[in-house]
Amino acid sequence: MANLSSIATAVASKPLPAFSPQNDLPVLANGRVHHALMSPSVQVRILALIDETGSTTLGEVVAHFPDHSDPVGAVLVMAGLCLLRLDHAEKLLDANTRVRRYPVNGFPPETMMLSPPEKKQEIEPVKEPAHPEPLKLPASLRRLEARSFRPTVVIGSGDDRRDFAKMQELRRPGIYGLMNSSSLYIGFGIDAGNRVASGQQPIQDIETIFVITDAENILTADDAEVAERILWSRAAAARERLMVNGLPSGVAVDLQRFSDIDAFVAEACLTLRHEDVLFTRGSPRTVLAGPRSEPGRTAPPRLFDDLPDGEVMELVFNEGRVALAARSSDDDWVLLKGSEVRPEVVQSANSSASFLRAAWLHSGILVPSPDGISYLLTKDMRFRSAGATAHFVTGSKGRGRGGWQPIDPDGGFDPETAALIAS
DNA sequence: CGGACTAAAATGGCAGGTGT
DNA sequence: ACACCTGCCATTTTAGTCCG
């Protein structure tokens, strides 16, 4: 359930980080940087220096602060809070190192920077290896990269949607949800924060908005579109609210990337559950796992040797691969389990062909065949047209209604047919 | 801020080209 | 002759922009 009071409680219960001169961690609060090297006037003078021409250099900063013990340190403190950015910070710092606001016309993300330890991830300019030890590995060992994405979930009320554009960590590819008491809109944006703040409002009386971005900002726009389709499916399957928009299209994606993005979305869903926002029904495990497939996609269960409803059609393609589908009507096709699916997808194919391969391999609906040259469908899956079914199976366009030939399910001109249907 | 309008993109279908 | 791929098209859906 959407419960704003619970959100407020969660925020209020978080202890404010204590900032003291002894504490080396800089803190941004009420628009002001608190740190031993900073004072309000130093902060304002540095920013003014940058704003004169859009950038300045460390040399100019030093020249303008003859009375300051460590003006460069002050700049680094602000850079550490993502208020400033140093060009080519990976090189040696010198008087020519250029300093700008972060990222371009960035505005301090205001109240959102209250947890400096989290922000450490984004500190590019300050090169201080936090964990020097773990970097060294014995030659005999190899470190495996864990999955790549880590969600940041930010939530607010519909009335405050403009504020989402003020957070730099939301000004990047991400996904979002707009909720009122009965409906939910799932969307994605290349600039998620801005999209929420100034985009069209597709539903009435929005009470709650949440935005999910990647903490390391390595989620690309394409990844975000994949995440959008995954989140939509999860929310639709949860049946807690009416989905305003239809199934997003997603983009082409491979299995490993899909799995990484699914894990990213799963973690965000679990977070929303903990805050009592969405995904509150069922067990946490169910929330993490998500649905096996998109709602309405799985056909009704069929017993081992039951024949499917409708006319059974056969598609032979690609050097003898065979797929079977039951056609109930022109817009209701069920691809039967056991059907072969070509692993490859042609370049001109629509995104769904590759997306569904990845999604169904991920959930076990599609498995490699024993001989390894095809995928096999393990469940009856529903499609909206003959062309879409063929498109998925062959991984290519061009096989419309005509590719499917009726067969006689009771008997067979092909002895393998019955086994294929029943398998 | 939000509704109305416009632009852009995705979908499924199909004709036609290409290679075997 | 056949299977398969590409690219175009009409239609539908979604995103973006303007303006009161």
Side-chain angles (χ1 to χ4, degrees):
Chain A
M1 280 186 66
N3 186 344
L4 284 175
S5 64
S6 73
I7 298 152
T9 309
V11 172
S13 65
K14 253 177 203 158
L16 281 176
F19 42 82
S20 64
Q22 297 86 355
N23 190 347
D24 272 337
L25 290 175
V27 170
L28 180 66
N30 302 321
R32 201 198 126 180
V33 178
H34 298 260
H35 188 269
L37 292 175
M38 297 296 298
S39 70
S41 41
V42 168
Q43 174 183 329
V44 169
R45 284 162 65 194
I46 291 176
L47 291 174
L49 193 57
I50 293 170
D51 289 344
E52 277 178 20
T53 59
S55 69
T56 184
T57 61
L58 289 180
E60 287 176 21
V61 173
V62 171
H64 278 77
F65 290 86
D67 48 339
H68 194 291
S69 64
D70 186 5
V72 172
V75 168
L76 294 182
V77 164
M78 293 181 75
L81 286 170
C82 296
L83 301 174
L84 300 182
R85 161 171 76 97
L86 281 70
D87 287 1
H88 308 299
E90 70 282 1
K91 294 182 186 165
L92 205 56
L93 284 186
D94 62 20
N96 296 318
T97 300
R98 194 151 284 281
V99 185
R100 305 169 196 277
R101 286 216 189 209
Y102 189 90
V104 176
N105 51 357
F107 190 75
E110 299 264 285
T111 56
M112 309 309 180
M113 311 281 294
L114 287 172
S115 344
E118 281 180 25
K119 299 314 297 176
K120 280 257 168 187
Q121 316 291 340
E122 292 190 10
I123 300 175
E124 289 170 351
V126 186
K127 290 286 179 188
E128 62 178 72
H131 311 287
E133 283 307 313
L135 292 178
K136 292 178 184 166
L137 271 181
S140 54
L141 303 183
R142 186 163 62 95
R143 191 195 320 279
L144 303 185
E145 285 301 320
R147 62 180 178 74
S148 13
F149 306 115
R150 197 163 61 82
T152 298
V153 185
V154 174
I155 188 160
S157 79
D159 295 338
D160 298 329
R161 70 186 186 114
R162 302 280 168 198
D163 291 339
F164 283 94
K166 295 179 183 169
M167 285 187 68
Q168 286 308 321
E169 63 183 288
L170 301 184
R171 305 297 304 270
R172 58 181 64 161
I175 48 181
Y176 62 91
L178 312 175
M179 306 196 303
N180 62 23
S181 54
S182 62
S183 307
L184 169 62
Y185 176 93
I186 298 292
F188 99 101
I190 293 170
D191 180 341
N194 197 44
R195 175 92 185 92
V196 166
S198 54
Q200 187 183 45
Q201 298 271 284
I203 60 177
Q204 304 284 317
D205 305 324
I206 296 171
E207 292 171 3
T208 309
I209 299 175
F210 61 86
V211 177
I212 302 165
T213 55
D214 176 51
E216 330 288 345
N217 196 13
I218 49 177
L219 192 82
T220 66
D222 278 359
D223 294 337
E225 282 200 65
V226 173
E228 179 197 22
R229 181 160 171 172
I230 291 172
L231 179 61
W232 187 95
S233 301
R234 285 170 169 269
R239 296 175 171 276
E240 291 173 23
R241 280 187 172 67
L242 187 68
M243 303 303 292
V244 176
N245 51 336
L247 176 71
S249 63
V251 291
V253 62
D254 64 32
L255 172 60
Q256 188 178 336
R257 194 98 177 142
F258 181 94
S259 298
D260 281 350
I261 297 171
D262 188 65
F264 167 78
V265 175
E267 209 174 326
C269 290
L270 195 61
T271 306
L272 291 172
R273 175 194 174 88
H274 291 334
E275 296 295 330
D276 211 21
V277 179
L278 259 182
F279 304 107
T280 53
R281 297 185 197 162
S283 66
R285 184 190 167 282
T286 314
V287 172
L288 263 182
R292 274 194 106 184
S293 71
E294 287 147 359
R297 213 68 208 232
T298 314
R302 182 162 56 91
L303 288 178
F304 182 68
D305 52 358
D306 272 359
L307 290 175
D309 292 337
E311 185 184 10
V312 176
M313 311 285 276
E314 180 186 54
L315 178 69
V316 181
F317 64 103
N318 205 236
E319 297 172 18
R321 287 188 173 113
V322 178
L324 292 175
R327 174 193 166 277
S328 294
S329 66
D330 275 347
D331 59 358
D332 184 6
W333 289 68
V334 172
L335 185 62
L336 302 181
K337 55 186 169 185
S339 289
E340 291 178 289
V341 174
R342 195 173 76 134
E344 302 80 30
V345 168
V346 149
Q347 199 217 331
S348 61
N350 293 342
S351 58
S352 276
S354 118
F355 186 95
L356 289 180
R357 273 168 176 67
W360 292 355
L361 284 167
H362 176 76
S363 60
I365 290 171
L366 211 53
V367 296
S369 65
D371 58 15
I373 59 171
S374 293
Y375 293 147
L376 294 179
L377 201 66
T378 64
K379 283 181 171 298
D380 291 352
M381 300 303 287
R382 176 168 280 137
F383 288 81
R384 289 209 313 264
S385 72
T389 317
H391 189 176
F392 169 71
V393 164
T394 63
S396 151
K397 298 185 202 174
R399 297 295 210 95
R401 175 72 177 77
W404 294 96
Q405 297 301 322
I407 61 171
D408 176 6
D410 290 326
F413 60 86
D414 179 351
E416 288 182 39
T417 302
L420 194 59
I421 295 174
S423 67

